[in-house]
Amino acid sequence: MIGRLSGVLAALDDNLALVDVNGVGYDVVIPARLRNRVSVGDPIVLHTHLSVVNDVQQLYGFESIVDRMVFRKLLGVNRLGPKSAAALCSELSGHEIARAIDARDHRTLTVAQGIGAKAAESIVFALREDVSKWGLSSDGTDSKSDAGSLSNASAASQAIAALRQLGFQRHEAEDAIAQAFEDGLGVGDLIQRALRLIGTKV
């Protein structure tokens, strides 16, 4: 299964992105939130999910592991297919969806096209007892790998700044540093580990 793509945005047609990875093009459905911020020619890193419905395969791509994880949780809701789950992830981040579910906030979930009141109620009912186990803190960060908290630490903040200077977008840098972070790890080692996670050779 394809779990991540790192390449260049070769074409963009509505929410369908063509990602060129070393000469191979992958069609990936991306959220509108991301589509509105990228342009053809931009480097792009996507955490992907391969959906197979009636023998039709489609890749869905997300900016962060959290967004992909929430998308996968949504797929477990009865009668909620990948298109509806993707529509919700287009309008709201994974953290926002999790907060709405935890607060039993059905109305927020209806912001997405195709998600009516009944569908929103089904999502909340199916996931409300599970959302506390997802490891997401209430302030919109991943409590298991809290990029926001890491940025307050000297080594992490310096490493994030270095990745930004190398051309990576902030969310890419923070996500990689959050995953690579380990107490006592120096800035140089942290950067090297993060680059390996991103898939970049130095």
Side-chain angles (χ1 to χ4, degrees):
M1 178 180 291
I2 300 171
R4 185 177 65 185
L5 294 175
S6 178
V8 176
L9 184 61
L12 189 59
D13 182 9
D14 196 14
N15 281 22
L16 187 63
L18 177 63
V19 181
D20 186 321
V21 181
N22 297 324
V24 179
Y26 295 87
D27 282 326
V28 190
V29 175
I30 62 174
R33 295 178 297 108
L34 175 59
R35 176 202 65 199
N36 295 333
R37 300 201 318 271
V38 296
S39 301
V40 172
D42 286 350
I44 191 167
V45 178
L46 296 172
H47 300 277
T48 58
H49 173 86
L50 178 62
S51 173
V52 181
V53 178
N54 297 327
D55 295 328
V56 176
Q57 299 183 11
Q58 179 62 65
L59 272 177
Y60 291 85
F62 305 91
E63 295 179 80
S64 71
I65 292 175
V66 169
D67 285 356
R68 183 182 64 182
M69 181 267 289
V70 173
F71 172 79
R72 286 174 169 172
K73 296 293 185 182
L74 291 171
L75 293 180
V77 177
N78 189 34
R79 297 185 179 179
L80 191 73
K83 289 185 178 180
S84 295
L88 187 52
C89 291
S90 268
E91 299 296 335
L92 301 171
S93 70
H95 291 289
E96 290 170 332
I97 294 169
R99 283 199 298 269
I101 294 171
D102 192 45
R104 277 59 167 176
D105 181 3
H106 308 87
R107 180 173 297 180
T108 292
L109 299 178
T110 61
V111 69
Q113 184 176 5
I115 303 293
K118 289 185 177 180
E121 290 173 4
S122 295
I123 292 169
V124 171
F125 181 79
L127 301 176
R128 62 185 179 182
E129 300 300 330
D130 191 42
V131 69
S132 62
K133 304 173 185 177
W134 295 357
L136 304 183
S137 63
S138 60
D139 61 354
T141 57
D142 183 343
S143 61
K144 293 181 179 177
S145 57
D146 190 338
S149 296
L150 293 179
S151 296
N152 294 327
S154 177
S157 61
Q158 290 180 51
I160 290 171
L163 290 179
R164 293 280 289 149
Q165 290 179 353
L166 289 174
F168 294 102
Q169 297 180 15
R170 175 167 294 280
H171 71 85
E172 296 171 358
E174 290 181 342
D175 186 51
I177 294 301
Q179 294 178 66
F181 186 80
E182 183 178 314
D183 288 336
L185 204 62
V187 176
D189 291 335
L190 186 55
I191 293 170
Q192 292 289 336
R193 183 179 289 190
L195 287 171
R196 285 196 294 270
L197 287 169
I198 294 173
T200 302
K201 295 180 180 180
V202 297

